[in-house]
């Protein structure tokens, strides 16, 4: 029997994201704008297959060819004839849906590999009897041979994403280790190059290590980019190594992205949108992060658009080093009612920021009031869909020019609905309160987390000219009372300095801000429509959800490599540890035996101590997090964060044992089915699908209907080109 964490259960939750009404209310021009932005996002999203694993792109093409010839209902008859049971065929459909939803064969939330929950020979029999195989036997056999071994492999290194001997990654060639990643970052910093849209390939030449830094771009040739002076491409000697910077990663896909951005520009609502799309197109054409940053500046200026979008190499959660961005693109329509609540929160931000537990010198000189909107997602291309987003991630822009926050309302509506019988580790009374208030409390946490979590705090910087953005002689470390002795220098950024812990550390800081401020502004939760006892319940469930999430986070810890696979869940485990350490009965965590005779656990939170013990503990911890971040104290930051992240069988709680309990009782993360858009004459048609594995599969086979063979050929070509690099 394969461990259940490595396959998706047949009864996994799959929901359709409803955006019918939101799309219907758009004008024809807005619908066309949304359509071409969506096309751009979907083509770019295919790059995630190539960013995930060596086999993901081949598996994707295999599935596309199977289901294009025979949709799930028809292929079911073939499965029966091939000897598959109904349960095995459903397992195959769920696997295929999972591959599409995660844009690869590793879970986007947790980075664990998943394989089909049916015997390999049965799946092969289905492929061999399919219409796709009958029509093109040699091509289908070659596809199967190229991916079937890795499709089912659960060798230790292939069980999770990671660098070196800790897992699989296609951000780096297979011969790279942490030292290579660190050296490459130093090189990139020396050339003022961002790692966001790069991958690193290592080769040996004349006994020397040679590195290729490959930029994602439509063009391959070396040429200067407007606004960037001389080209960054070329050959460089750096610390007795040779580095080559080249263009052309995902070239065919980046060309499709740029072409559709140009089409969207014809339907833009204003000059900011046009300039934004021009810069994005330039970025994906030439591999220029500077152009993407410029596009992001115009995006920030585009206040309150009806159709909101963002696209690019954005989040660095899945880069084992924490610097390279995964491609994602979203298109969504504003939900006006909920957006009004967030607008009120934004207007209160300057009053709320002083509540945070660090001196004013550690806060931005000026809070740049951002857009904060609730959106109904039309398209979200990438490996997964979050509940909220704070972007752009460029430190220099966030500090001095601003950012935007979005909460994805139709995602929240279905992602966090919970059935009582599936709610683990809480007592019965807490379950009732949790189910009633989980949605409202999560809206509050998302709002505070994104706006005042990611939007707060200052980085102390000395620029290339030697100028400081703080008073070097006067600012004191509140932890020690001493002058500040460390800061960011030149091209150093938060990601490049804190690298492997940066993503989770920052999520932990933002989560702590959400907890802390939800308690501080309890009386002001009327912003979200809650007051009196209702506000008390929202705060209680927010804190209760956090400590429960900290326990659930153990699912995303790999004991063999002593590593975490998911930034948010590591952050929540750290917060659980902080609150357990606070003592005085604030949080209790006990192992037990469930009614089914299997190991269980119970976590409780004393609501009467949230305001005193809980708030005090988060206040102290949050101040430490911010001070270490502001001062670029990597050594101190690692010691603090990795200390609380440790999972052991010692101390007052056996977390390694509790991890096994969590794994036995885990519930699979839901998957989402998204609509397609199709131009018909002068209008755009919204094509929707049922919330099922079959519906999710059909959405993808129809997503690239006009040029499927071309797209698949390009994917296989890109995959084949780099195949020798991974092992």
């Amino acid at each position: 029997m394969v461990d259940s964490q490595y396959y998706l259960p047949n009864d996994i939750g799959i929901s359709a994201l409803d955006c019918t009404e939101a799309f219907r209310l758009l004008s024809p021009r807005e619908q066309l704008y949304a359509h071409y932005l969506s096309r751009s996002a979907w083509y770019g999203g295919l790059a995630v297959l190539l960013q995930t694993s060596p086999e993901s792109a081949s598996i994707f093409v295999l599935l596309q060819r199977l289901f294009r010839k025979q949709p799930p209902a028809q292929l079911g008859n073939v499965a029966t004839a091939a000897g598959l049971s109904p349960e095995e065929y459903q397992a195959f459909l769920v696997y295929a849906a999972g591959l599409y939803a995660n844009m690869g064969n590793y879970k986007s939330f947790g980075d664990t590999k998943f394989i089909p929950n049916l015997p390999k020979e049965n799946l092969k029999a289905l492929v061999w009897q399919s219409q796709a195989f009958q029509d093109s036997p040699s091509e289908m056999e070659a596809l199967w041979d190229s991916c079937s071994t890795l499709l089912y492999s659960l060798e230790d290194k292939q069980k999770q994403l990671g660098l070196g001997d800790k897992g699989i990654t296609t951000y780096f060639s297979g011969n790279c280790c942490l030292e290579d990643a660190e050296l490459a970052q130093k090189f990139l910093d020396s050339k003022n190059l961002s790692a966001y849209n790069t991958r690193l390939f290592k080769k040996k030449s004349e006994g020397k290590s040679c590195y290729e830094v490959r930029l994602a771009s439509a063009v391959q040739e070396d040429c200067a980019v407007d606004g960037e002076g001389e080209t960054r491409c070329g050959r460089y000697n750096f610390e007795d190594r040779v580095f080559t910077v080249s263009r052309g990663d995902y070239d065919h896909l980046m060309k499709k992205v740029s072409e559709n951005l140009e089409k969207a520009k014809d339907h833009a609502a204003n000059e900011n949108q046009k300039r934004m799309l021009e810069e994005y197109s330039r970025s994906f054409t030439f591999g220029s992060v500077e152009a993407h940053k410029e596009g992001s500046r115009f995006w920030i200026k585009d206040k309150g658009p009806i159709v909101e979008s963002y696209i690019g190499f954005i989040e660095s959660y899945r880069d084992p080093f924490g610097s390279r961005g995964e491609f994602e693109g979203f298109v969504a329509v504003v939900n006006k009612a909920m957006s009004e609540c967030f607008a009120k929160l934004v207007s209160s931000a300057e009053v709320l920021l002083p509540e945070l537990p660090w001196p004013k010198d550690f806060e931005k000189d000026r809070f740049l009031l951002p857009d904060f909107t609730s959106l109904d997602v039309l398209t979200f291309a990438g490996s997964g869909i979050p509940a909220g987003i704070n972007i752009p991630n460029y430190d220099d822009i966030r500090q001095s020019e601003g950012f935007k926050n979005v909460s994805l309302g139709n995602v929240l509506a279905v992602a966090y609905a919970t059935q009582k019988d599936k709610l683990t580790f809480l007592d019965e009374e807490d379950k009732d309160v949790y189910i009633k208030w989980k949605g409202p409390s999560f809206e509050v946490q998302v709002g505070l987390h994104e706006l005042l979590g990611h939007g707060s705090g200052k980085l102390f910087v000395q620029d290339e000219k030697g100028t400081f953005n703080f008073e070097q002689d006067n600012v004191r470390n509140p932890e020690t009372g001493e002058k500040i002795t460390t800061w960011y220098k030149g091209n150093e950024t938060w990601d490049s300095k804190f690298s492997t812990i940066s993503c989770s550390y920052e999520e932990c800081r933002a989560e702590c801000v959400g907890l802390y401020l939800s308690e501080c502004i309890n009386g002001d939760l009327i912003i979200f429509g809650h007051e009196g006892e209702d506000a008390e319940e929202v705060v209680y469930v927010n804190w209760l959800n956090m400590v429960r999430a900290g326990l659930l986070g153990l699912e995303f810890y790999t004991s063999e490599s002593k590593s975490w696979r998911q930034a948010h869940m590591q952050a929540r485990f750290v917060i659980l540890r902080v609150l357990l350490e606070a003592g005085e009965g604030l949080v209790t965590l006990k192992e037990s035996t469930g009614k089914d005779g299997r190991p269980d656990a119970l976590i409780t939170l004393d609501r009467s101590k949230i305001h005193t013990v809980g708030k005090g503990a988060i206040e102290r911890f949050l101040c430490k997090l911010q001070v270490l971040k502001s001062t670029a104290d990597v050594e101190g930051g690692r010691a603090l964060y990795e200390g609380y992240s440790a999972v052991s069988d010692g101390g007052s709680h056996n977390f390694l044992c509790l991890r096994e309990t969590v794994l036995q009782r885990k519930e699979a993360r839901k998957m989402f089915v998204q609509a397609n858009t199709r131009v018909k004459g002068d209008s755009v048609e919204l094509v929707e699908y049922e919330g099922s594995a079959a519906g999710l599969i059909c959405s993808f086979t129809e997503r690239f209907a006009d040029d499927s063979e071309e797209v698949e050929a390009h994917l296989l070509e890109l995959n084949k080109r780099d195949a020798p690099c991974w092992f």
Side-chain angles (χ1 to χ4, degrees), residues 491-540:
N491 297 319
E492 292 177 343
T493 66
W494 162 249
D495 286 336
S496 68
K497 286 288 284 184
F498 282 71
S499 64
T500 54
I501 67 166
S502 61
C503 290
S504 185
Y505 187 113
E506 173 60 12
E507 292 304 331
C508 186
R509 194 184 69 89
E511 291 284 47
C512 285
V513 168
L515 279 186
Y516 184 75
L517 287 181
S518 74
E519 216 298 312
C520 285
I521 66 168
N522 185 345
D524 292 323
L525 286 181
I526 193 169
I527 290 172
F528 292 92
H530 313 301
E531 53 186 321
E533 291 184 7
D534 287 356
E536 294 282 354
E537 296 290 75
V538 166
V539 172
Y540 174 64

Side-chain angles (χ1 to χ4, degrees), residues 447-649:
L448 296 172
H449 172 117
E450 300 295 349
L451 175 66
L452 298 169
H454 293 312
S456 65
K458 181 174 182 174
L459 302 184
F460 295 147
V461 178
Q462 181 185 19
D463 66 22
E464 293 170 319
K465 297 177 181 178
T467 304
F468 292 89
N469 71 341
F470 66 102
E471 295 183 12
Q472 186 190 8
D473 294 329
N474 296 327
V475 177
R476 303 272 170 172
N477 184 325
E479 299 288 310
T480 64
E482 303 293 325
K483 287 183 180 180
I484 301 301
T485 57
T486 56
W487 48 80
Y488 299 85
K489 298 175 182 177
N491 297 319
E492 292 177 343
T493 66
W494 162 249
D495 286 336
S496 68
K497 286 288 284 184
F498 282 71
S499 64
T500 54
I501 67 166
S502 61
C503 290
S504 185
Y505 187 113
E506 173 60 12
E507 292 304 331
C508 186
R509 194 184 69 89
E511 291 284 47
C512 285
V513 168
L515 279 186
Y516 184 75
L517 287 181
S518 74
E519 216 298 312
C520 285
I521 66 168
N522 185 345
D524 292 323
L525 286 181
I526 193 169
I527 290 172
F528 292 92
H530 313 301
E531 53 186 321
E533 291 184 7
D534 287 356
E536 294 282 354
E537 296 290 75
V538 166
V539 172
Y540 174 64
V541 171
N542 192 31
W543 283 64
L544 179 65
N545 180 53
M546 189 62 69
V547 296
R548 177 176 180 264
L551 176 60
L552 297 180
L554 288 167
E555 176 190 341
F556 303 94
Y557 176 78
T558 301
S559 54
E560 292 82 2
S561 60
K562 297 182 179 179
S563 62
W564 285 89
R565 307 186 311 276
Q566 214 293 318
H568 299 80
M569 299 311 280
Q570 179 183 359
R572 291 157 188 164
F573 176 77
V574 166
I575 292 170
L576 171 62
R577 289 281 309 275
V578 169
L579 294 177
L580 283 168
E581 185 183 84
E584 298 187 47
L586 172 68
V587 177
T588 58
L589 174 57
K590 297 179 181 177
E591 297 180 51
S592 62
T593 301
K595 294 178 181 178
D596 56 6
R598 295 186 298 156
D600 206 342
L602 178 67
I603 194 161
T604 57
L605 171 71
D606 187 338
R607 67 167 71 210
S608 70
K609 295 177 180 175
I610 292 175
H611 182 68
T612 52
V613 182
K615 182 182 175 184
I618 293 297
E619 180 177 35
R620 292 186 294 274
F621 184 63
L622 184 51
C623 187
K624 289 178 182 176
L625 290 176
Q626 183 58 50
V627 168
L628 293 165
K629 179 182 180 182
S630 291
T631 58
D633 186 350
V634 178
E635 185 178 345
R638 282 194 177 278
L640 176 72
Y641 200 69
E642 290 175 351
Y644 279 107
S645 297
V647 178
S648 71
D649 56 4

Side-chain angles (χ1 to χ4, degrees), residues 215-462:
L215 310 178
S217 69
V219 301
Q220 294 190 14
E221 66 270 15
D222 178 9
C223 55
V225 178
D226 290 345
E228 291 191 85
E230 295 181 6
T231 176
R232 308 288 178 82
C233 296
R235 182 181 172 91
Y236 304 89
N237 290 308
F238 183 80
E239 294 193 4
D240 199 33
R241 313 289 206 288
V242 175
F243 278 83
T244 301
V245 180
S246 64
R247 290 195 175 96
D249 217 2
Y250 327 117
D251 51 351
H252 299 296
L253 300 177
M254 294 301 101
K255 183 180 179 183
K256 291 277 191 182
V257 172
S258 295
E259 287 173 349
N260 281 280
L261 290 176
E262 290 295 330
K263 292 177 181 178
K265 192 174 72 171
D266 293 337
H267 308 284
N270 54 56
E271 192 62 24
N272 279 326
Q273 288 183 0
K274 289 178 182 178
R275 295 293 305 277
M276 169 187 83
L277 296 178
E278 285 173 2
E279 295 296 335
Y280 288 166
S281 180
R282 190 162 70 92
S283 170
F284 300 128
T285 300
F286 296 105
S288 168
V289 170
E290 286 303 315
H292 193 269
K293 290 175 74 171
E294 194 63 23
S296 297
R297 291 184 171 99
F298 287 112
W299 178 70
I300 293 167
K301 294 174 185 174
D302 184 28
K303 300 289 187 182
I306 301 300
V307 177
E308 182 63 282
S309 68
Y310 198 65
I311 189 170
F313 295 87
I314 312 298
E315 303 293 354
S316 53
Y317 300 124
R318 298 182 94 185
D319 169 16
F321 190 67
S323 294
R324 288 152 190 80
E326 184 176 71
F327 192 96
E328 69 179 40
F330 77 84
V331 184
V333 184
V334 170
N335 178 317
K336 293 182 179 179
M338 193 61 203
S339 294
E340 287 179 9
C341 294
F342 289 129
K344 291 175 184 175
L345 181 63
V346 171
S347 66
S348 303
E350 290 176 301
V351 177
L352 298 175
L353 279 171
E355 296 283 346
L356 292 171
W358 48 77
K360 65 178 183 179
D361 289 325
F362 286 74
E363 191 47 70
K364 292 186 178 74
D365 300 330
R366 184 167 62 95
F367 185 75
L368 300 163
L369 294 178
D371 255 13
F372 198 162
T373 50
S374 178
L375 307 173
D376 286 339
V377 170
L378 169 66
T379 293
F380 205 113
S383 66
I385 308 179
I389 316 170
N390 176 288
I391 37 183
N393 288 335
Y394 305 117
D395 291 334
D396 51 344
I397 294 178
R398 294 165 65 89
Q399 288 245 102
S400 59
E401 299 177 58
F403 52 91
K404 283 187 184 182
N405 299 273
V406 299
S407 175
L408 305 179
N410 58 344
V411 176
L412 282 168
V414 294
Y416 299 100
T418 307
Q419 296 175 341
K420 187 174 181 178
D421 61 343
K422 292 188 176 182
L423 192 54
T424 53
F425 310 128
L426 297 178
D427 65 29
E428 293 303 308
E429 184 177 343
D430 273 341
K431 285 182 181 181
D432 292 330
V433 177
Y434 184 95
I435 288 170
K436 181 176 180 180
W437 293 104
K438 171 69 186 297
S441 73
F442 202 73
E443 284 178 347
V444 170
Q445 178 68 9
V446 167
L448 296 172
H449 172 117
E450 300 295 349
L451 175 66
L452 298 169
H454 293 312
S456 65
K458 181 174 182 174
L459 302 184
F460 295 147
V461 178
Q462 181 185 19

